């Protein structure tokens, strides 16, 4: 059987996750016993998870011509991940992100990304060629919300993939102050949404994009804009699936979270995997919650993702032997 191919457009960061007891007062100090440094960013997190699930995922991104970019390329090589869609850029840097993680696992993000190369991705010929071969396209919304040239690239690739019958997945990945979207951000999302088959937001994102404080009503508003279906991540309260035809809520696995970094990305990867493997809605909801539940019990992002052996164990628990 031919291995499924998913092209993944988005950001790639060097992530630093720092557990803290609490935020210090201005001029004060807090202490920690560790720092987790690794490769991250929604796009590469999803690529890594999909590859461990048996999907051939290909990253499409720009990296700086810097040591951080070298580290990312080295990571791809070490893990057998294709670098066909990697473009090195002298004018911009590879992104960085710092997560301050509180005892309940929730975090404060600091993005060192205002000059990140992935925000300036042009419509490369290699991107178009990879999307022609792919069964699906994932777009991380960072390159739409924060991007410059990259938002235009995301739009054209979504349109290309959708027009040839491929599935288009979008994780909004909105990081905005005050949960308020600017007019141009709303405009570009509304332009792309008709080409999106599966939107995978969290509750805050669905409310912003659907312009309603009720998550279910907001999701319905988004469906009216042309999206095929939504999987909405509700953190410790599980998730729900909604389309024009149905609605179903999925209970979370009862676990103790230590770090929620990468949880949403792992959920996104699980939904994409299940779509590629034509799993049922019930199987998808259970698998995505189980997989994300595993990740939040460990520190870091990619470092917390299960290896292939554990992935197979989770698959067997949810899907049995088929």
């Amino acid at each position: 059987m031919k291995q499924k191919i998913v092209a993944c457009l988005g950001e790639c960061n060097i992530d630093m996750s720092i557990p803290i007891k609490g935020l210090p007062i201005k001029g004060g100090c807090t202490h920690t016993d560790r720092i987790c440094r690794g490769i991250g960013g929604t796009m590469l997190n999803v690529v890594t998870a999909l590859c461990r699930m048996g999907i051939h995922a290909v990253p499409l991104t720009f990296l700086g011509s810097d040591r951080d970019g070298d580290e990312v390329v080295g990571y791809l090589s070490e893990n057998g991940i294709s670098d066909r869609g990697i473009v090195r850029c002298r004018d911009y840097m590879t992104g960085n992100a710092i997560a301050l993680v509180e005892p309940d696992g929730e975090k404060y993000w600091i993005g060192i990304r205002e000059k990140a190369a992935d925000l300036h991705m042009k419509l490369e010929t290699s991107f178009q060629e990879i999307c022609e071969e792919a069964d699906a396209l994932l777009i991380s919304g960072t390159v739409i919300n924060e991007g410059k040239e990259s938002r235009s690239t995301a739009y054209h690739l979504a349109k290309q993939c959708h027009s040839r019958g491929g599935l288009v997945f979008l994780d909004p990945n909105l990081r905005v102050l005050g949960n308020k979207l600017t007019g141009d951000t709303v405009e570009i999302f509304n332009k792309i949404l008709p080409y999106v088959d599966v939107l995978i937001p969290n509750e805050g994102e669905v409310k912003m994009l659907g312009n309603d404080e009720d998550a279910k009503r907001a999701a319905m508003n988004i469906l009216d804009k042309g999206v095929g279906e939504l999987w909405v991540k509700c953190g410790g309260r599980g998730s729900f699936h909604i389309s024009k035809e149905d609605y179903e809520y999925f209970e979370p696995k009862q676990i103790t979270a230590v770090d929620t970094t990468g949880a949403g990305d792992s959920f996104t990867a699980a939904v994409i995997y299940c779509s590629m493997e034509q799993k049922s809605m019930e199987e998808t909801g259970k698998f995505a919650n189980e997989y994300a539940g595993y990740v939040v019990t460990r520190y870091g992002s990619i470092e917390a993702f299960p290896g292939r052996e554990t992935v197979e164990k989770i698959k067997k628990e949810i899907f049995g032997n088929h």
Side-chain angles (χ1 to χ4, degrees):
M1 184 180 294
K2 178 179 175 289
Q3 190 179 33
K4 298 293 175 61
I5 301 173
V6 179
C8 300
L9 179 77
E11 79 283 20
C12 182
N13 300 320
I14 299 298
D15 276 357
M16 283 164 278
S17 182
I18 307 171
I20 58 173
K21 296 182 176 67
L23 288 175
I25 61 171
K26 189 173 182 178
C29 180
T30 189
H31 295 86
T32 187
D33 61 356
R34 70 176 70 87
I35 179 170
C36 301
R37 186 182 187 279
I39 310 298
T42 287
M43 181 277 293
L44 198 55
N45 287 347
V46 173
V47 165
T48 298
L50 286 174
C51 289
R52 292 180 186 179
M53 292 175 192
I55 300 291
H56 180 44
V58 183
L60 311 180
T61 197
F62 278 20
L63 298 172
S65 295
D66 48 25
R67 272 191 279 183
D68 288 341
D70 293 342
E71 187 173 343
V72 174
V73 171
Y75 170 84
L76 298 178
S77 177
E78 290 166 11
N79 288 274
I81 298 173
S82 172
D83 63 359
R84 286 178 58 203
I86 302 298
V87 177
R88 304 299 294 271
C89 183
R90 290 188 176 277
D91 297 328
Y92 301 100
M93 63 179 282
T94 302
N96 279 248
I98 299 171
L100 304 178
V101 186
E102 294 209 290
D104 64 357
E106 289 301 330
K107 53 202 175 297
Y108 299 88
W109 282 103
I110 302 170
I112 310 164
R113 292 187 38 79
E114 291 187 355
K115 295 183 179 179
D118 53 65
L119 302 182
H120 299 273
M121 288 188 286
K122 296 180 174 65
L123 189 60
E124 295 285 314
T125 301
S126 61
F127 289 5
Q128 294 174 293
E129 290 174 347
I130 292 166
C131 283
E132 278 297 314
E133 301 168 10
D135 301 283
L137 168 69
L138 163 74
I139 299 172
S140 168
T142 299
V143 298
I144 301 173
N145 180 45
E146 300 176 16
K148 312 297 180 187
E149 296 93 337
S150 60
R151 61 174 48 174
S152 175
T153 297
Y155 169 75
H156 286 291
L157 291 180
K159 189 175 180 181
Q160 173 189 341
C161 186
H162 190 270
S163 67
R164 55 179 287 273
L167 286 176
V168 178
F169 298 87
L170 172 59
D171 185 329
N173 204 19
L174 297 172
R175 303 281 189 268
V176 293
L177 291 174
N179 286 343
K180 297 290 184 182
L181 299 179
T182 61
D184 63 328
T185 300
V186 172
E187 182 180 353
I188 187 60
F189 270 104
N190 285 342
K191 189 177 178 182
I192 288 177
L193 288 177
Y195 301 105
V196 174
D197 296 285
V198 186
L199 185 71
I200 316 174
N202 61 34
E203 280 187 294
E205 291 165 344
V206 79
K207 291 173 183 178
M208 282 188 276
L209 292 173
N211 196 29
D212 198 302
E213 282 305 305
D214 180 86
K216 187 175 179 182
R217 286 200 306 264
M220 291 299 295
N221 291 340
I222 293 170
L223 290 170
D224 289 339
K225 296 179 182 182
V227 172
E229 59 184 300
L230 290 87
W231 282 93
V232 181
K233 299 170 274 195
C234 304
R237 291 180 292 103
S239 59
F240 70 84
H241 173 270
I242 189 167
S243 67
K244 289 282 190 180
E245 293 76 33
D246 55 49
Y247 168 88
E248 187 158 350
Y249 166 73
F250 293 89
E251 292 275 357
K253 182 179 182 181
Q254 296 305 308
I255 46 87
T256 299
V258 298
D259 184 356
T260 60
T261 305
D265 301 338
S266 61
F267 185 96
T268 293
V271 168
I272 295 172
Y273 169 80
C274 288
S275 295
M276 293 294 95
E277 296 298 315
Q278 298 182 319
K279 301 299 183 182
S280 69
M281 180 176 61
E282 289 75 17
E283 288 175 318
T284 301
K286 290 176 182 177
F287 180 66
N289 280 358
E290 180 83 13
Y291 189 88
Y294 177 94
V295 171
V296 301
T297 61
R298 289 156 176 79
Y299 286 105
S301 52
I302 284 177
E303 305 81 13
F305 287 7
R308 293 180 187 273
E309 186 175 322
T310 304
V311 170
E312 291 305 314
K313 182 180 177 182
I314 296 172
K315 284 184 189 179
K316 190 170 183 179
E317 288 175 3
I318 303 300
F319 309 131
N321 293 318
H322 55 85

